[in-house]
Amino acid sequence: VRVPHPSANLKMDSTTKPFLQCCQELVKVIDDYPAKELHLIFPWLVESVFGSLDGVIVGWNLGFLQACSNRYNIVMDFLNPSGPMMKLVYKLQAEEYKYEIPVSFLPGPVKVSIQEGVLPDCPLLNNKLHFPLSGLQTLSLALNPFEYYMFMFASSLITPKHVSSLDSAYFVLVDTYLKYFLPTEGSVPPSPFTYKRGSVSPPAPRAPSVPFAGYGIHSTSLLKRHISHQPSVTADPAAQEIWRSEALLQVFVEMWLHHYSLEMYQKLQSPQVKLALLQYRLSMSSMLCQPLTPPGSGTLDTYQPFTPTEEHVLVVRLLVKHLHAFSCSLKPEQVSSSAHSHTSPLEELKRVVVHRFVQQKLYVFLQHCFGHWPLDASFRVVAWVSYIQPWRYTGEKTNPQTDQNKGVPEKWRFFVQENLLMYTKLFQGFLNRVVRTDLVNVKNALMVFRVAKVFAQPNLSEMIQKGEQLFLEPEHVLHHRQHRCFLSPGHGGSFLSARQPVVTDRVFRVKSHVYGLEGQDCQYKQMFGTELRGTVLKLIQIIDQARQTAKKISDQSAEVAANNSFMSWFGMGSPDLNYTFNGGEVDDTGACVKKTHEFLERSLDYLCQIFRLNAGQLSQLMATLGSGQDDGNSKQLPDCVQGENGLILTDLGRMQVINGLRRFEIAYQGDPELQPIRSYENAILVRLFFKISSLVNERFGGHMDALCSRPDFLGQLGRHYLASPEAAADGRRRSPETRLTAEGYRRPRLSLRMLASYRTLLMLLLLYLFGALFSFGLMSSTLLILTYFYLNGRGKCRFLPK
């Protein structure tokens, strides 16, 4: 009896039945139906779970699914590495089905490279692409079920509508898949599902007849898998299972790290790549009778830059941390090169996983983040600091205090040297960001403190300096050892490809790393050189200035807290409605400002340790900085030049504004009577007094002008109550305003708006009650109140334009 096809019923039930019932029916279908039937519903099911590549279908919205949701446990059981969904994947994998992914949904650099006729340095693409003679715009990848499932899962992170949180189902699944397929203890669990054809087999090797241009200095980089040459599918069970680990890692790395700007893409196109591309185009043109459109025509013009989200970077950080833990779990007896012939495929993967799979693409990805991430504290989520501290993920329990004093173990010097640019060039990029950042903000100060603390670990700066010395060693000493050919660490296919000869020369290793990532024409800037030292000294000055600003903010916040006490209701507080702090954010007051001062203080100490600045040099630097500043600087305008439309900030002026050293005196410069109604004002009274004062000013404006122009006591009294004190402060420097606007508000006018303030009303009520206690009449009390205002300088009456 032929079983009816399940696709129609499943699609209908998914929109009408409860979620739990739908999942139960899916499990039953996966168990009961053969692979031939399940093959047709697999793409629909994967899209229903993870969403479509264009973001139109949201799927199960794993990024929003929290543990408190009723669906959470159902979803996690269904998508577990040993769950029903993975059972379906293995079931289809045994039949060797293929599923297509359009090239247009690949990361930007990969897509552009393919459209240019170049096969990128992407092992995942090997044996997946076929270049049609009619053009390259309709290419697609043919992936096996496991690769397709992981591709859709990884792609859901970077789809336009994806939003996630750290405790969501998506993050938990990423962590679960990493721990399952890249275990730190034991081996990868074998597939629990076996069929008549034996164990699930890995993909076949690439056919060498497909024409394409190579990426890098090799003409073609074929994916040569050790496991694909096994005589039978059961000859080496360990090798049979390791292909899943490698496939998952390749998908995650390519989909999450292969993102950078057009400028970086063009920079990575070495002369060898451009020559190979030209040869490919010539060979393709000679095969055809009619002329073809160049493969890459228009691709650079349509290149879409990619900006990673905070969720994307957090997942990358999770990946980096796990790969370090995975690599550090290598058994000590397997570390020596003499044991290579006896290592298992999983142990061999642990040995090379960071260097071969991650280093190059993560370096480019981090450079892109350093150049395009907003200048705020969210930069702390970038995975840079996690990558450069692999010793934190060895699994050993350590005390943070003793570990900080102990320093970096000597065995990590080779990792530091072979990742030199991760420490030196990215640190320089970090400095360039920090000098443009508001360090009065406690979150930014904390970020600087953490980075400085990492680089101040004992032995680390010496290891970095030793790596720079190896790179700067004269190149002529290498010619008698090996031919000068520095390779990128990402070249080659699987980690199980035939190994290159072990290079014992540390100089060659460091130079290969730098030239492989930056090109052989790179201009290396030393981290401990003279040029960077100047930037460090500038940062120290900015940190010290931010410390002083934080201290001023702390003092000002204490004063404001005192002025805003109960006595301020009686007129003892600050009347300035436009008062703001000199820099920082609203929450950077009180305890936060104290933390800011502490973080900056300790950052200075760490920077002095890293670059070996003694107390005398630091004191001299601070003295030089202090001699150029005084207490009046904060009341001066920032450094600026006069432009056509007013003042324009210089670079120095921007730095002064960012760190709160100087500022424009921000004040409301429009009609004071038309300011928005404040929370401490009565809206009805504000509008009523405005109408009354406008009527009085319109009818008696000329008399007020005449009264204020008199030289006697009445004129002085009129100027006091009818003219604002700001009108006489014509030498006061403010933020730019037009002269006509300023002159319009300098005419003496009556303003009654202060009487609409709840504080003023309460104060007047208390004063009248106080007068009544001493038997003062209404007129007598009013006269005493006006006298009080006059003597205490509180008779502020705003002025209005005609």
Side-chain angles (χ1 to χ4, degrees), residues 294-321:
S297 60
T299 54
L300 295 183
D301 297 331
T302 60
Y303 186 95
Q304 296 295 325
F306 179 84
T307 302
T309 62
E310 188 169 342
E311 294 80 14
H312 181 177
V313 175
L314 286 172
V315 172
V316 171
R317 187 172 69 175
L318 177 63
L319 173 66
V320 168
K321 288 182 177 181

Side-chain angles (χ1 to χ4, degrees), residues 421-491:
L421 291 175
M422 290 285 193
Y423 293 89
T424 59
K425 185 165 184 180
L426 293 186
F427 181 79
Q428 297 168 23
F430 178 76
L431 288 183
N432 292 334
R433 290 181 57 89
V434 170
V435 296
R436 296 176 291 152
T437 304
D438 177 16
L439 297 184
V440 181
N441 184 315
V442 64
K443 295 178 181 179
N444 292 333
L446 176 61
M447 179 177 61
V448 176
F449 161 73
R450 286 178 173 173
V451 173
K453 182 179 180 181
V454 168
F455 279 85
Q457 296 178 78
N459 305 336
L460 182 56
S461 59
E462 289 79 3
M463 292 179 181
I464 297 174
Q465 199 163 11
K466 177 61 177 177
E468 290 191 323
Q469 292 173 359
L470 292 174
F471 174 74
L472 296 174
E473 190 171 303
E475 296 184 11
H476 62 81
V477 300
L478 298 176
H479 285 295
H480 73 280
R481 298 175 185 171
Q482 296 190 36
H483 185 268
R484 183 175 181 270
C485 182
F486 302 108
L487 304 180
S488 168
H491 293 313

